Amino acid sequence: MSKHCVLVSGGAGYIGSHTAVELIEAGYDVVIADNLSNSDLRAVEGVRQITGVDVPFVEIDCCDRERLASELFERYTFDSVIHFAAFKAVGESVQKPLEYYRNNLTSLMNIIELMRRYGRHNILFSSSCTVYGEPDKQPVTELTPRKPATSPYGNTKTMCEDILRDSVAAYGDLRGIALRYFNPIGAHPSALIGELPRGVPQNLVPYITQTAAGIRECLSVFGNDYPTPDGSNIRDYIDVVDLARAHVVAIARLIEGKNKENYEIFNVGTGNGVSVLELVRRFEEANSLKLNYKIADRRAGDIVAIWADPTRANEELGWHATRNLDDTLRSAWAWEKRVRGIEE
Ligand code: NAD
Ligand code: WQD
């Protein structure tokens, strides 16, 4: 019997490459499609090396609908799509809103349109806890109201969720799940794939690992006067391999018809809130090193605190975060060392 095939758009990226590995290890065939706008072929090579499978890769822009049709939908028989392809830099989206709206909305709409044209059925969409804005109550459940986005990037996530919800409602043979990721961190235990930001990292953990590697002089902790126990922001840091595995169980739910609604939403987080200062301390302890950091001004637009209530994913998907934070922070450092050629 032929294996079920999954198209992974944006599969050369950070979360997509880890998900491709977990899908293959769970027995799926995978096709990776990516325009390499924020990634390179090393990630695809890493996926091939980890799995021992010569995963097909198609270099393509999901905004180019007719090329998507002829080079992906006509050539591969996937019935399921995991759609990661998007621009994701919050600050850049404020400077370049049209690029963000065009890329993130058009690519999703093209995928849905072609799924209809070619009779494909299951789609997972990469959403984000950013849709909750600054929540009134912690932890957030899927029923916590979404708030107006504070950046064009965040707005594309809210709008894409709505595009998916409305498409599923209108087109009876389409089933969709939006996974709302909290803060993905860490790398594959092999250190063959991981997060590779271009330029100065905007996210906390890559900034920490680059500081430890000596590429950045000093980490700025953005604010220690927030209304939290130690004054720094609180987030829910989810190991990227755990997050990848959530995609495997969510796509299986759709393939096996176990979904309760044709459009469903799941939070994917650990349920634990960790402050910036605590994360820095845990990174130092887990890796037996000292990090150069200082307290700096607050960063504009930062949420004070957010963490997930993952009960729905636990109960409905049977998914739980399994890796502990220290192992995750060790994997982030192991990846940075490998990329920079730092010896033990
Ligand atoms: P990433 O930038 O590493 O991966 C995205 C991939 O999509 C990149 O390889 C990029 O080249 C590709 N891409 C972008 N536009 C494309 C297009 N038009 N056609 C083809 N490929 C295109 O980012 P990531 O961290 O792996 O994020 C994956 C998804 O998860 C994104 O949708 C992102 O918004 C979402 N997300 C990420 C986070 C996070 O903190 N990393 C949190 C919540 C949600
Ligand atoms: C985490 C914490 C910073 C860098 C972003 C997006 C969100 C989602 C996840 C995609 C914050 C602090 C950071 C630094 C610091 N992405 N920090 N010094 O802001 O929670 O969320 O990524 O959907 O939409 O907004 O993640 O990693 O940028 O920051 O002190 O150099 O680390 O202030 O409290 P964030 P982050």
Side-chain angles (χ1 to χ4, degrees):
M1 205 179 80
S2 75
K3 294 199 264 181
H4 192 98
C5 183
V6 181
L7 168 64
V8 181
S9 81
Y14 172 45
I15 306 168
S17 56
H18 288 81
T19 301
V21 167
E22 297 306 313
L23 285 167
I24 293 164
E25 290 187 345
Y28 292 94
D29 277 338
V30 164
V31 182
I32 293 177
D34 200 299
N35 66 358
L36 304 180
S37 57
N38 195 40
S39 51
D40 61 53
L41 282 176
R42 280 175 293 174
V44 178
E45 282 310 322
V47 173
R48 290 175 177 152
Q49 217 178 319
I50 294 166
T51 60
V53 173
D54 191 18
V55 188
F57 170 72
V58 182
E59 186 173 340
I60 198 162
D61 189 333
C62 295
C63 293
D64 187 341
R65 191 181 51 200
E66 293 319 310
R67 267 197 69 209
L68 266 189
S70 60
E71 292 179 32
L72 272 173
F73 282 78
E74 280 178 15
R75 288 194 193 161
Y76 296 92
T77 55
F78 53 85
D79 196 36
S80 303
V81 180
I82 307 185
H83 182 60
F84 293 102
F87 293 156
K88 65 160 184 179
V90 175
E92 186 185 58
S93 79
V94 177
Q95 308 302 322
K96 300 179 176 174
L98 291 183
E99 279 91 330
Y100 272 69
Y101 286 116
R102 186 177 298 116
N103 192 52
N104 294 5
L105 270 56
T106 306
S107 59
L108 175 68
M109 290 190 291
N110 282 347
I111 293 276
I112 295 175
E113 203 173 327
L114 292 174
M115 289 179 73
R116 292 198 64 216
R117 196 195 289 174
Y118 289 89
R120 315 291 167 89
H121 298 104
N122 310 312
I123 175 165
L124 293 191
F125 172 67
S126 300
S127 192
S128 168
C129 66
T130 192
V131 301
Y132 297 116
E134 180 83 65
D136 298 325
K137 231 177 101 197
Q138 304 287 356
V140 293
T141 76
E142 293 79 357
L143 299 176
T144 298
R146 294 185 314 187
K147 290 212 172 150
T150 52
S151 72
Y153 165 75
N155 210 20
T156 69
K157 290 294 158 193
T158 306
M159 292 166 86
C160 283
E161 282 193 353
D162 292 348
I163 289 168
L164 183 57
R165 179 201 60 205
D166 295 346
S167 299
V168 164
Y171 313 134
D173 50 0
L174 192 67
R175 297 177 286 272
I177 290 179
L179 296 180
R180 290 179 177 159
Y181 315 155
F182 283 68
N183 288 56
I185 61 166
H188 192 268
S190 65
L192 289 168
I193 51 173
E195 189 170 13
L196 204 55
R198 296 192 168 176
V200 181
Q202 306 301 306
N203 295 113
L204 179 59
V205 170
Y207 208 106
I208 288 177
T209 55
Q210 289 197 11
T211 305
I215 298 161
R216 311 283 154 203
E217 203 177 315
C218 181
L219 168 77
S220 293
V221 172
F222 297 140
N224 68 346
D225 56 354
Y226 284 100
T228 60
D230 67 16
S232 64
N233 291 152
I234 294 175
R235 297 289 184 272
D236 185 335
Y237 296 95
I238 169 84
D239 184 283
V240 68
V241 175
D242 276 334
L243 173 58
R245 289 183 182 150
H247 294 78
V248 177
V249 290
I251 205 70
R253 178 178 175 90
L254 293 181
I255 292 166
E256 292 162 12
K258 291 188 176 153
N259 50 306
K260 293 195 175 143
E261 311 282 343
N262 282 342
Y263 173 62
E264 296 179 315
I265 299 169
F266 295 98
N267 283 342
V268 189
T270 65
N272 301 319
V274 175
S275 77
V276 176
L277 288 168
E278 202 178 334
L279 195 87
V280 169
R281 188 180 55 75
R282 293 282 289 270
F283 180 84
E284 291 182 324
E285 282 175 14
N287 292 301
S288 309
L289 50 76
K290 275 278 163 224
L291 194 75
N292 195 18
Y293 72 91
K294 63 175 187 213
I295 306 299
D297 289 344
R298 292 180 176 195
R299 182 172 71 176
D302 266 338
I303 302 300
V304 178
I306 185 165
W307 66 93
D309 178 341
T311 305
R312 188 187 281 184
N314 297 161
E315 290 179 356
E316 295 283 331
L317 298 177
W319 171 89
H320 293 85
T322 58
R323 284 182 90 191
N324 77 52
L325 185 58
D326 296 324
D327 288 341
T328 302
L329 292 170
R330 277 191 277 270
S331 74
W333 179 225
W335 160 249
E336 186 74 54
K337 282 192 289 189
R338 188 182 155 266
V339 169
R340 309 295 164 192
I342 298 171
E343 302 290 329
E344 288 300 322

